[in-house]
Amino acid sequence: MPAWQGHSPAFRSEVRACASRLRAGFEASGAVPVECPILLPAATLLDLYGEDIRGRAYVTSDALRGEQMMRPDFTVPVVQMHMDGGAEPARYTYSGEVFRRQEEDEVRANEYLQVGVEVFDGADPAAADAEVFMLLRDATRGVPLRAATGDIGILMAAVDGLDTSEARKAALKRHIWRPRRFKSLLDRFSGRSAVAPTRAALLAAADPLAEAGAEIGLRSRGEVEARIEALRADAATPVISDREVALIEAILSVRETLPYALTRLRDIAVDLPSISAAVTRVAARSEALAARGVDIATLDFEAAFGRSHMEYYDGFVFGFYAEARPDLPPVASGGRYDTLTRMLGRGAGRPEGIPAVGGVVRPGLLVELEGAA
């Protein structure tokens, strides 16, 4: 079982020793070791991800510090630390427990060790992407793993290029990491799914609040009226064309080795020019990976890859999987999160952010797979 709990003291010791080796390897590559608190201010994570984060994080409260969350990973606190005054360029490494609520699969770990590396360097983003990919590939070289790559930025650029309202684009981009919700919105905005009868009745009413009664709940009457007006404006917005929907679906269906994926994406870019810059970045990364010895002719690229991960990835994403154990999560994974540094940099007076990419390894899974080899 991949859970940190339930294993013998000997296994735990072996996992901690593996974590130490991994962290030492990242330090040898030039990363500076840092420590992060276990309890993080909940407000920061809620601002970033919304209330959905509560479904996968442990929340507690403190009389003085307010609502707190046990860290679901290290990236957010490391970014906060760097944006508060870190020099650039910078490379950091860390190790420790992370905590994830599991409400659907009791076998999956809710506490486990994570070792990672984060690179803040805007000089050559493609080279930084390749650097982090190689660091994690080398760190997991002891077990046979399949590498998968993708780029969230392509889908984000595709949404930006749609001929529709900014409100609809914002809604689609907000749900890129929730594939079923994204599809539901795309179907509604394109007219493929009918408007719910209750919403249709609400929008058709001359005064939807005529019989609403006394105000209850947290929303004021003004907020409810503003929401109704927003719904009416959306209902009056022309549908997204079948052609554009087909282009989005074509992007999401790209699942090839990297050279063939690039060919398909370039073909799609002819009809959807908004993704051209993102495709160019994929091509530059491909060259950077090849320069570091990666056989890109056999490297998988999936345009939809990474859409169920934490929402801060906005560009390159990758993962390393044990094909013989499809029940296991990725042994290592990572990606680019430039937008996150801008969001967290605002409070530190650095709203411009800095290009950043990072990745993590789960030493518990490495030890388990090494033992089964």
Side-chain angles (χ1 to χ4, degrees):
M1 147 171 111
W4 175 247
Q5 304 93 332
H7 282 295
S8 68
F11 179 84
R12 292 189 179 210
S13 295
E14 194 174 350
V15 172
R16 291 198 179 278
C18 178
S20 295
R21 291 193 301 272
L22 290 169
R23 179 165 163 169
F26 293 146
E27 287 184 51
S29 74
V32 176
V34 293
E35 300 292 334
C36 297
I38 290 177
L39 286 176
L40 306 175
T44 300
L45 293 165
L46 289 169
D47 286 345
L48 289 170
Y49 311 124
E51 290 293 325
D52 286 353
I53 188 67
R54 294 183 187 276
R56 56 184 185 272
Y58 289 100
V59 183
T60 185
S61 61
D62 183 280
L64 296 178
R65 295 174 178 83
E67 205 169 34
Q68 305 277 296
M69 285 188 184
M70 299 179 74
R71 65 187 178 215
D73 66 18
F74 283 85
T75 301
V76 169
V78 170
V79 171
Q80 285 183 304
M81 176 205 70
H82 179 77
M83 300 311 292
D84 282 339
E88 296 167 8
R91 285 155 174 75
Y92 303 107
T93 184
Y94 49 79
S95 65
E97 285 86 356
V98 295
F99 308 87
R100 304 277 180 88
R101 286 179 59 182
Q102 304 293 342
E103 297 184 342
E104 298 181 358
D105 186 354
E106 65 180 3
V107 175
R108 297 197 70 169
N110 61 350
E111 173 190 353
Y112 54 88
L113 274 176
Q114 193 177 80
V115 184
V117 62
E118 311 291 341
V119 173
F120 297 81
D121 191 342
D124 188 342
D129 288 348
E131 174 187 348
V132 172
F133 179 89
M134 289 297 293
L135 283 172
L136 267 66
R137 192 186 78 164
D138 291 345
T140 58
R141 197 178 289 277
V143 295
L145 300 174
R146 178 183 77 88
T149 66
D151 195 315
I152 297 293
I154 294 171
L155 184 56
M156 296 180 76
V159 171
D160 280 333
L162 294 175
D163 183 16
T164 190
S165 67
E166 292 303 317
R168 285 186 169 182
K169 292 179 187 179
L172 287 167
K173 289 172 72 173
R174 188 165 58 250
H175 292 287
I176 277 177
W177 296 270
R178 301 172 183 88
R180 282 183 292 183
R181 178 60 176 158
F182 181 90
K183 184 179 185 307
S184 175
L185 284 174
L186 192 61
D187 286 346
R188 178 156 64 85
F189 294 160
S190 63
R192 290 184 174 186
S193 61
V195 177
T198 51
R199 175 172 292 190
L202 175 73
L203 299 179
D207 182 2
L209 300 180
E211 300 180 6
E215 291 185 29
I216 59 173
L218 299 177
R219 291 186 180 180
S220 68
R221 184 183 182 91
E223 289 173 323
V224 174
E225 289 173 340
R227 175 59 178 161
I228 292 173
E229 286 307 309
L231 291 175
R232 282 177 168 162
D234 180 74
T237 302
V239 298
I240 296 174
S241 69
D242 289 343
R243 171 183 170 277
E244 290 189 319
V245 172
L247 289 170
I248 294 287
E249 292 174 341
I251 289 170
L252 292 174
S253 70
V254 173
R255 186 172 183 175
E256 309 274 1
T257 54
L258 186 50
Y260 287 106
L262 265 171
T263 298
R264 287 195 61 192
L265 290 170
R266 284 170 173 146
D267 289 343
I268 296 170
V270 173
D271 296 313
L272 190 59
S274 64
I275 71 169
S276 296
V279 175
T280 297
R281 289 192 291 270
V282 174
R285 184 185 309 124
S286 175
E287 293 176 1
L289 289 166
R292 284 181 171 265
V294 177
D295 182 8
I296 60 172
T298 60
L299 183 62
D300 290 336
F301 182 95
E302 305 167 23
F305 182 75
R307 294 181 66 207
S308 59
H309 295 175
M310 296 289 280
E311 292 93 328
Y312 46 69
Y313 293 137
D314 57 12
F316 180 46
V317 284
F318 64 91
F320 292 89
Y321 297 85
E323 287 192 290
R325 291 290 307 275
D327 57 306
L328 294 182
V331 176
S333 61
R336 176 162 290 279
Y337 50 87
D338 297 349
T339 302
L340 180 65
T341 70
R342 292 193 290 271
M343 294 174 67
L344 294 179
R346 292 170 190 161
R350 302 172 71 181
E352 73 285 354
I354 179 174
V357 59
V360 296
V361 183
R362 291 181 58 164
L365 296 181
L366 273 182
V367 171
E368 183 176 346
L369 291 168
E370 288 170 347

